[in-house]
Amino acid sequence: MIPAPGSTSEVYRPNPSAIVVVIDPGHGGCLDWGVPNPYDNKVAKSEKADTLGIALALRDLLAAQGITVVLTRNDDSALAGDLYPPLGCQGAPFRDVNGDGVAGFGPSVPDSTRTRDELSARIDLANLARADLFISLHINSLTQNGVVYQIAATQTFYTDAFPWADASRRLASTVEADVVRSMGKAASYRRQDRGIDGAAPYLYVLKPPGSAPSSPRRGLFMPAVLSEVGSVSLKAESELLATAPGREAAARGVYDGVVDYLRGRARAARIDALVPAGEAGVAPQPAPGAGPPYWPALVPSSGALQLRLTNTGTASWPAGLQLASGWHASAKPYLAAAPARLQGAGVAIPQLGPGESVELSVTLPAPPSGSRQVAWITLVASDGASFARDGSVALQLATASP
Ligand SMILES: [Zn+2]
């Protein structure tokens, strides 16, 4: 047992570094500027520049409180390729991340191809980091049939189709309310609160996994929101969002929303593998190649696994928690859903208090032989209340590299 380190963090006092927040600055790279600014469509006022500025300010706020932050990008780059010399784009070659057999950009490639691979890479990064929250930052432009509606507004999307929809909805509500409040204070003009929307079927990054081309093959495993924190269709707001105070106001709003959300999260768990080699930090490092960049760590060949479980909620864990695992054959980086059969590990899980950890040695059941196998390792509560409903992400480990 490892006691909660304790801290003065206003986000999560018992053990702030055990909380992982993925911040996704919408768009980015040479090809994807985001929504056009109707007043000044230069890169300095592009959506991708605004979202990165807000993301970096949000990272600083969270990191100052001890939270572990993973950015899907921390500069003007893309994860899934950005090489298109006809438009002067000299990034890395394109990768087929979602496995649909197509990748790239150009006259003969549908526009959605590059976007889907890029967003799939961002999903994979968050899932393998086992993030507590995924926050995608965007800026809207309210236009219809070429008419620019000169309106400043905030709106936050989530997806109500996941088992952890309640948690996502709560996160969307706190983020929306706090961004509206914070941006309202910074603005010298009227703004609209456009509320939250849980049916966002057009937002690829938030969609449940599916086999349709318009669905990600692997969906996010944790409460996730996409917040249109502001809109450039009002000139005054487009100017405010290009300034440090404007971006800090948006970041402060999202930060307050995260604090409010985590204070109300009673039940949560983090499962880490203390893999001897190859676990360099929370986020996976990109693998070379033309396929998916992010892959899980490998199971030690002995099968003996050292795990650290941490209570990242605000309530003590109930009695009777079980560690369970299952194998499934896959050539994909990791599994999009739990295997059909999970087997109890037969290890007693102590009733950890908030922020406390326990390190356990477990031996996974031997993987079926033959093709590459992926293990899904999770906590199951005896009282029927699933940890997954709060978005506690399963640990996945594989028997082979890409
Ligand atoms: Zn956007």
Side-chain angles (χ1 to χ4, degrees):
M1 288 256 308
I2 302 164
S7 75
T8 57
S9 173
E10 61 181 35
V11 183
Y12 186 65
R13 196 171 281 244
N15 191 345
S17 69
I19 305 284
V20 177
V21 175
V22 169
I23 307 170
D24 174 41
H27 312 280
C30 179
L31 285 168
D32 186 358
W33 288 28
V35 78
N37 184 314
Y39 306 105
D40 186 1
N41 203 31
K42 304 229 171 62
V43 73
K45 284 200 180 162
S46 61
E47 182 183 358
K48 67 170 182 173
D50 288 344
T51 59
L52 180 59
I54 296 164
L56 295 175
L58 176 58
R59 174 199 62 188
D60 291 348
L61 288 169
L62 289 166
Q65 300 297 326
I67 300 301
T68 302
V69 177
V70 174
L71 289 158
T72 57
R73 64 181 180 97
N74 59 13
D75 57 19
D76 186 20
S77 61
L79 301 180
D82 201 20
L83 178 62
Y84 193 66
L87 288 176
C89 297
Q90 303 290 347
F94 292 104
R95 312 174 70 125
D96 178 15
V97 182
N98 63 357
D100 63 0
V102 287
F105 179 88
S108 59
V109 184
D111 219 25
S112 52
T113 300
R114 188 206 61 80
T115 312
R116 288 170 181 169
D117 285 321
E118 175 64 24
L119 296 177
S120 294
R122 298 181 189 203
I123 290 170
D124 289 349
L125 184 60
N127 282 344
L128 291 171
R130 299 184 303 290
D132 292 87
L133 310 173
F134 180 92
I135 296 169
S136 189
L137 300 169
H138 287 255
I139 310 290
N140 214 340
S141 180
L142 304 160
T143 60
Q144 206 165 32
N145 304 325
V147 178
V148 177
Y149 290 89
Q150 298 187 28
I151 290 168
T154 298
Q155 186 170 23
T156 301
F157 299 92
Y158 69 100
T159 301
D160 56 18
F162 287 106
W164 50 89
D166 288 349
S168 291
R169 186 184 311 111
R170 201 162 65 73
L171 177 64
S173 300
T174 59
V175 166
E176 173 69 14
D178 289 328
V179 171
V180 165
R181 188 180 311 125
S182 182
M183 286 295 289
K185 265 197 262 177
S188 56
Y189 46 85
R190 281 172 56 88
R191 302 189 77 259
Q192 287 184 0
D193 175 357
R194 295 206 155 191
I196 64 169
D197 185 346
Y202 47 92
L203 295 171
Y204 186 89
V205 76
L206 295 184
K207 284 175 89 168
S211 53
S214 58
S215 295
R217 299 301 199 271
R218 303 175 288 278
L220 287 167
F221 287 137
M222 71 291 299
V225 297
L226 186 153
S227 188
E228 304 274 5
V229 294
S231 50
V232 290
S233 35
L234 186 75
K235 189 160 192 278
E237 181 134 309
S238 91
E239 284 167 359
L240 179 65
L241 286 168
T243 67
R247 290 170 177 179
E248 282 158 15
R252 169 62 62 175
V254 178
Y255 169 85
D256 289 344
V258 169
V259 173
D260 290 346
Y261 170 82
L262 287 173
R263 283 189 182 155
R265 187 176 71 158
R267 180 173 296 196
R270 176 164 191 84
I271 309 175
D272 291 309
L274 308 178
V275 179
E279 199 175 59
V282 175
Q285 296 302 305
Y294 300 113
W295 295 74
L298 299 183
V299 184
S301 50
S302 66
L305 198 56
Q306 198 63 16
L307 296 179
R308 187 197 297 125
L309 310 184
T310 304
N311 181 344
T312 47
T314 58
S316 289
W317 283 356
L321 273 188
Q322 286 274 337
L323 190 68
S325 70
W327 291 101
H328 192 80
S330 181
K332 304 282 160 55
Y334 60 92
L335 309 179
R341 225 173 59 85
L342 293 176
Q343 201 174 324
V347 191
I349 307 295
Q351 292 174 255
L352 298 180
E356 290 178 347
S357 301
V358 63
E359 288 186 7
L360 302 168
S361 297
V362 298
T363 305
L364 297 178
S369 55
S371 52
R372 176 180 180 269
Q373 298 279 331
V374 180
W376 176 284
I377 302 163
T378 192
L379 277 175
V380 180
S382 65
D383 64 359
S386 160
F387 275 65
R389 286 190 181 277
D390 303 294
S392 296
V393 180
L395 170 69
Q396 298 199 49
L397 299 168
T399 56
S401 320

